[in-house]
Structure formats: structure tokens, C-alpha cells
Amino acid sequence: MATRLSLGDLIGAAPRAVGRYTGTLLAVFVVETILAFACMVGIAALLAQAFAHLPMWDEAVDGDLYALLSCLRYARVHLVGCAGIAFGALLLWQLASWFLVGGTLGVLAQRPEGRGDTARTFGATGAATYLAYARLALCSLPGLALVWFAFSLGLSLAAPRMWQALTLPQFFWPLALGTLPGFLLLHILWTVTDYARVELTLRHESHEPGAVDTYLRTVVYVLKRPVTLVHAALGWLVFALITAGYALLAHGHPMYGSEGAVALFVIRQGVALARSTIRYGVLAGQIEIGRTRALPPRRFESQTDSTK
């Protein structure tokens, strides 16, 4: 009979994993930082070409809404280029994340000792599960279409109240209620994908069902165990609180010149490291509960039973 882990057990796995494999966390974070920095440099270069000679841009940076709208209207082509750079960075990160998440889950699952064994486990598991994770992404496309439909329907119902709003609360309450069903479905979908990845990582060396079978089994598994959804939701809640705290602290404190830009980058990366640590801890808890998940029936066993 499978062991039932409590929410406290899942949360308690986070500090143990972070303390034991801090180097793995920092290595993944360095890759994320390099990609983010490259994206920032490309976008900054485009914005500098468009706005460096416009005095109005200084007023826009200081918070003048009219100046900001005027500048945005002036350089539409450059903004499209910035959007293209951001989209390319997101696509590259998505492709890289399949390897990085697979390697991280492999380290947390196998618990190697020493830097050499940890690096070998990370690389071997990331490579072995890469195509399986890509197939999982294809399996999630119908769910993403459902999420998109939920967002579209919710926003269409909330739009009349939003257009009639006279205050910020009157605007944001309909927006929050309209997008709530879509966010709930998206949370379930992300949690299912996480646990399907855990299942494939734990069983990647055995002849278990493929990505489609694993994904369908995981949908039932997650819906039957609300603790998986609550655990993942707590991670996203802390993630959002850290982001909101960073936004509140940064509001009203402009940083000018090169020193301000460097300070802002360092602070932003500190926040990003904190958020990466939270995600790392959530993965550790998911690995712990994944160990208790019942094994799927092997194909050759099913074929033997059918021939008897």
C-alpha cells in the first residue's frame, strides 16, 4: 500500500534539497541569468536606437504617462523587435528547460554524492528524459486550448463591467473574477505536467508506458489527491508575494545612471534567485510524493496475463 505524505512532508523536503544540492540550484540559475542578460542587452540596444535622442523619453522613464504613450507610438517597429527578442528568449528557455528540469529531477530522485556524480546524473537524466518531456508538452496542448477558451470567455463576460469602471477596484475585481477559472485550469494543467515529469524521471530506465499514458494517468492521480494542487499553489503564492514585494519596494525609487542600472540588475537577480529556490523546493516535494506513487502495470506483464 502506498504511503500517504502530508502537506508538511512535502514542504519539509524543500530545505533538505536546497541545502544538499545548492550547487545544482546555482548552476541552473546561472544559465537562466545568462539568457535573461542576453535578452536585456538586445532589448536595451533596440530601445536606445529609438529613444536615446528623445528628451521626452526621460520624462516617460520618470513616470509621465503621456510621454510614455507618445514614445511608444513613435517607435512601433522597435517595440515589435523587442517583442520578437522576448519571444525568442522564451522559446529558447522552454527548449532548455526540458533538459534543466529533467537533470534537476534526476539529481533529486537519485541523490548522488559528490560534484562529479551529481554532474553525471544531471546530464544523463536530462538527456534521457528530454524527448519524453517534449512529448508531454504536446500532450498538454488540448489543455492549453481549454485554458485559452476559459480566459477568453471570462474576459468577454467581465469586459462590460471593466469598461464602465470609474475606480481601480471597480476595474480589477471583474478582471480577477473573469480570469479566475482560467488560472485554476492552468494551475491544474501545470501541476499535472509536473507530476508527469516526475513519473517519467523516476521510471525512465524501465519499460513503463509512454508519455501519453503517463499524462492521462497523472490527470487522474492529481485530481484524486488535492494535496498535490495545494502544495503547488503554495509555491506559486510565495512566488507571487516575492514578486509583489519587489514591485512595491521598487515603486517610487528611481535608479539613474549606470550605478542605478547595475544595482537594479543585482536586486532583480536576487529576487529571481529567491523565486528559483522556491521552484526548486516545490520540485523536491513533488519527487517525494512521486516515490510513493503506485507503479503502472508493465506491458509484458499485461501481455502475459492476456495469454493465460
Side-chain angles (χ1 to χ4, degrees), residues 195-267:
Y195 279 94
R197 288 175 175 176
V198 169
E199 177 74 6
L200 290 174
T201 301
L202 291 172
R203 321 298 180 204
H204 77 276
E205 294 181 352
S206 59
H207 300 286
E208 306 296 347
V212 177
D213 296 333
T214 300
Y215 190 87
L216 295 177
R217 290 178 60 253
T218 306
V219 171
V220 178
Y221 179 82
V222 168
L223 294 179
K224 284 185 176 180
R225 289 164 178 79
V227 67
T228 59
L229 296 171
V230 175
H231 173 243
L234 288 177
W236 289 117
L237 178 61
V238 178
F239 188 100
L241 290 176
I242 291 177
T243 303
Y246 166 68
L248 290 175
L249 290 175
H251 181 69
H253 296 82
M255 297 184 180
Y256 299 106
S258 58
E259 294 181 358
V262 172
L264 185 62
F265 179 77
V266 171
I267 295 173

Side-chain angles (χ1 to χ4, degrees), residues 112-143:
E113 298 292 341
R115 296 180 180 178
D117 289 341
T118 301
R120 284 189 291 271
T121 301
F122 187 97
T125 310
T129 59
Y130 189 86
L131 293 180
Y133 285 6
R135 290 190 289 269
L136 279 181
L138 295 177
C139 294
S140 66
L141 290 180

